[in-house]
């Protein structure tokens, strides 16, 4: 950190704020002398504690945070505007990139919206395959945060285990789709292709291997007294703040807000998985509760993947997509489709004028809403706890800047 002169940065002019990690003291003159009261501290946009190009503008009094302002937009790529210049096949390329850890789920929301506009029925086999792949993608997303969050608190070991499990699951995702992160496997009307021969057996083996090793996080992380000491009672997010800011996903459920679209407004095959689907909640609302919910959801997603594989084994062979016209046009009208993405609620508001491109496609991303709660969470905490709180919000910066 480097000291910066007082001026616009101290009075809130973000355009003249100090560079990443810079500080600016706020001073009050008393009897001709200057007395330092508090300081503006910039965390980011490039900073080890932000896991992405996010900037936090903190006002601190010594080690205690007085106020916090997330400053976003450093990664903004204008996806919503680009949607308007792409046809309904091409927008999938853009959609799966705003949360690059949840690419399959991002694609899924778009095709569900377009299929609803078209009144299109998807083959049953494609419905169960989509559900399976969405849960495998959820596990991949959660494993990244299960490994990276302890790393941000000084524990380097869990990230290596997390990537071992991710590699096994990514291998089956890559085999079926051809992509490691941006799968591009969803299509309006179903999926791109049928499964490779023997794929379900390899997927079942990968799920089984991941489940057998999950005790690493149960014991190595949750059983670590330093980890618990850094997270228990830190960054408590009350339910009323969850509702006020539209916080969702594991973060909202860790504060006792019992809401999950897979159960409450079932889509895909989730309505038939009620016996396997468990919506995990905690009441504490602190950093530890958020990690516990994420871990419990990972266990449940592996169970859901097994249930989907069992159902696929019972289905007769059949198509996985619908034949589409060469030029696909959605009828004039509007619709809203939302899904329970790994990080929370993801919604697409689609407006069509009957053309081959959307007139408007508005994205409601989970991370955008979730990160706003930092303005309520951080004041009153210590700077070291700020890192623990920020990491427990489980966000992807591209999902904030859209």
């Amino acid at each position: 950190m480097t000291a910066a002169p007082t001026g616009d940065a101290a009075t809130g002019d973000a355009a003249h704020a100090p560079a990443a990690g810079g500080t600016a003291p706020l001073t009050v003159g008393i009897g001709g002398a200057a007395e330092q009261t508090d300081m503006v501290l910039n965390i980011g946009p490039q900073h080890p504690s932000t896991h992405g190009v996010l900037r936090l503008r903190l006002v601190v009094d010594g080690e205690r945070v007085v106020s916090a302002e997330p400053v976003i937009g450093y990664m903004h790529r204008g996806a919503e505007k680009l949607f308007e210049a792409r046809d309904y096949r091409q927008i999938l390329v853009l959609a799966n990139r705003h949360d690059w850890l949840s690419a399959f789920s991002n694609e899924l929301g778009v095709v569900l919206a377009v299929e609803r506009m078209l009144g299109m029925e998807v083959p049953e086999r494609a419905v169960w395959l989509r559900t399976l792949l969405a849960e495998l993608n959820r596990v991949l997303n959660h494993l990244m945060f299960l490994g990276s969050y302890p790393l941000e608190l000084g524990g380097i070991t869990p990230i290596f285990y997390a990537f071992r499990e991710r590699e096994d699951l990514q291998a089956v995702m890559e085999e079926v789709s051809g992509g490691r992160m941006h799968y591009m496997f969803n299509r309006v009307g179903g999926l791109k292709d049928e499964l490779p021969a023997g794929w379900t057996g390899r997927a079942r083996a990968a799920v089984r291997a991941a489940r057998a090793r999950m005790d690493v996080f149960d014991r190595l992380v949750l059983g670590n007294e330093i980890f618990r000491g850094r997270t228990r009672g830190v960054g408590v997010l009350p339910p009323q703040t969850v509702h006020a800011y539209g916080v969702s996903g594991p973060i909202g459920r860790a504060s006792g807000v019992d809401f999950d679209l897979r159960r409450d407004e079932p889509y895909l095959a989730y309505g038939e998985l009620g016996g396997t689907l468990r919506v995990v909640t905690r009441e504490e609302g602190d950093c530890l509760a958020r990690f516990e919910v994420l871990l419990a959801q990972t266990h449940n997603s592996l169970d859901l993947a097994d249930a989907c594989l069992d159902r696929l084994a019972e289905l007769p062979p059949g198509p996985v997509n619908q034949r589409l016209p060469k030029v696909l046009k959605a009828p004039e009208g509007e619709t809203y489709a939302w899904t329970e993405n790994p990080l929370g609620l993801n919604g697409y508001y689609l407006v069509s004028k009957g053309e081959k491109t959307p007139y408007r496609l508005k994205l409601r991303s989970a991370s955008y809403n979730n990160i706003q709660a930092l303005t309520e969470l951080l004041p009153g905490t210590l700077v070291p706890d700020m890192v623990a709180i920020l990491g427990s919000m489980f966000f992807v910066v591209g999902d904030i800047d859209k």
Side-chain angles (χ1 to χ4, degrees):
M1 295 184 295
T2 57
T6 58
D8 290 336
T11 56
D13 187 350
H16 298 88
T23 60
L26 304 181
T27 59
V28 178
I30 299 178
E35 177 183 323
Q36 182 168 315
T37 57
D38 48 21
M39 178 179 293
V40 174
L41 179 66
N42 281 273
I43 305 294
Q46 297 285 3
H47 194 278
S49 71
T50 60
H51 63 232
V53 282
L54 171 72
R55 174 179 162 217
L56 287 178
R57 185 179 182 276
L58 308 178
V59 176
V60 295
D61 180 6
E63 284 285 309
R64 194 165 299 279
V65 177
V66 176
S67 66
E69 176 193 0
V71 183
I72 64 173
Y74 292 93
M75 271 194 67
H76 180 58
R77 292 161 293 168
E80 290 181 346
K81 194 64 182 175
L82 291 173
F83 285 150
E84 300 171 14
R86 306 291 189 276
D87 67 33
Y88 288 104
R89 295 178 176 90
Q90 295 169 329
I91 58 177
L92 295 176
V93 178
L94 300 169
N96 67 19
R97 281 164 166 76
H98 58 83
D99 175 0
W100 45 79
L101 295 178
S102 309
F104 187 87
S105 300
N106 298 342
E107 299 172 14
L108 187 60
V110 172
V111 296
L112 289 176
V114 179
E115 287 163 3
R116 183 177 298 172
M117 292 281 284
L118 294 167
M120 181 180 291
E121 290 289 332
V122 177
E124 185 180 13
R125 187 170 176 79
V127 171
W128 282 96
L129 275 172
R130 281 177 171 178
T131 310
L132 167 62
L133 295 172
E135 290 306 312
L136 291 178
N137 191 199
R138 193 181 309 275
V139 174
L140 286 170
N141 175 289
H142 290 355
L143 281 171
M144 175 62 78
F145 291 107
L146 291 173
S148 66
Y149 185 44
L151 180 65
E152 292 170 353
L153 298 179
I156 192 172
T157 306
I159 191 71
F160 297 114
Y161 289 107
F163 267 85
R164 179 185 63 182
E165 273 50 89
R166 278 176 55 84
E167 282 300 315
D168 289 345
L169 292 169
Q170 276 194 306
V172 297
M173 294 291 284
E174 183 177 7
E175 182 185 1
V176 74
S177 67
R180 284 180 60 83
M181 289 185 67
H182 306 304
Y183 304 110
M184 280 299 296
F185 197 56
N186 276 289
R187 294 293 187 272
V188 176
L191 295 169
K192 178 185 175 184
D193 286 313
E194 180 54 272
L195 302 176
W199 182 87
T200 54
R202 291 186 288 277
R204 196 181 292 275
V207 170
R208 184 169 56 248
R211 181 185 289 107
R213 297 167 179 167
M214 287 301 294
D215 65 333
V216 166
F217 302 100
D218 295 318
R219 295 184 294 105
L220 182 66
V221 181
L222 282 182
N224 185 290
E225 62 180 272
I226 298 176
F227 178 83
R228 299 183 76 86
R230 289 291 307 275
T231 56
R232 186 193 286 115
V234 175
V236 176
L237 182 66
Q240 56 267 29
T241 304
V242 171
H243 292 299
Y245 284 86
V247 174
S248 60
I251 301 170
R253 290 189 284 274
S255 296
V257 178
D258 188 5
F259 183 73
D260 190 313
L261 280 176
R262 296 175 296 172
R263 179 200 63 195
D264 300 324
E265 290 190 20
Y267 58 98
L268 295 181
Y270 289 114
E272 301 181 46
L273 291 169
T276 307
L277 175 63
R278 291 187 300 109
V279 179
V280 183
T281 62
R282 293 289 188 275
E283 297 298 326
E284 295 81 1
D286 56 9
C287 295
L288 180 59
R290 291 190 276 274
F291 186 87
E292 288 176 339
V293 169
L294 201 72
L295 180 55
Q297 280 193 182
T298 307
H299 282 287
N300 187 234
S301 289
L302 292 171
D303 294 339
L304 289 169
D306 267 340
C308 291
L309 286 166
D310 292 340
R311 183 72 177 102
L312 284 167
E314 300 169 358
L315 290 177
V320 295
N321 50 40
Q322 298 273 28
R323 292 184 63 87
L324 298 175
K326 186 173 182 181
V327 178
L328 179 64
K329 296 182 179 181
E332 188 170 351
E334 60 188 58
T335 191
Y336 182 71
W338 59 344
T339 55
E340 187 69 41
N341 270 31
L343 298 181
L345 299 179
N346 187 82
Y348 293 99
Y349 175 58
L350 171 63
V351 181
S352 171
K353 295 293 187 181
E355 301 171 348
K356 67 177 183 178
T357 61
Y359 176 76
R360 184 80 171 91
L361 188 58
K362 169 68 178 173
L363 168 60
R364 189 267 190 223
S365 61
S367 297
Y368 180 82
N369 284 72
N370 292 352
I371 206 69
Q372 309 306 319
L374 288 172
T375 59
E376 303 282 345
L377 274 177
L378 293 180
T381 64
L382 298 176
V383 171
D385 289 337
M386 179 274 298
V387 180
I389 296 169
L390 184 63
S392 74
M393 297 305 284
F394 309 133
F395 61 89
V396 171
V397 180
D399 205 39
I400 300 171
D401 292 345
K402 298 188 279 188

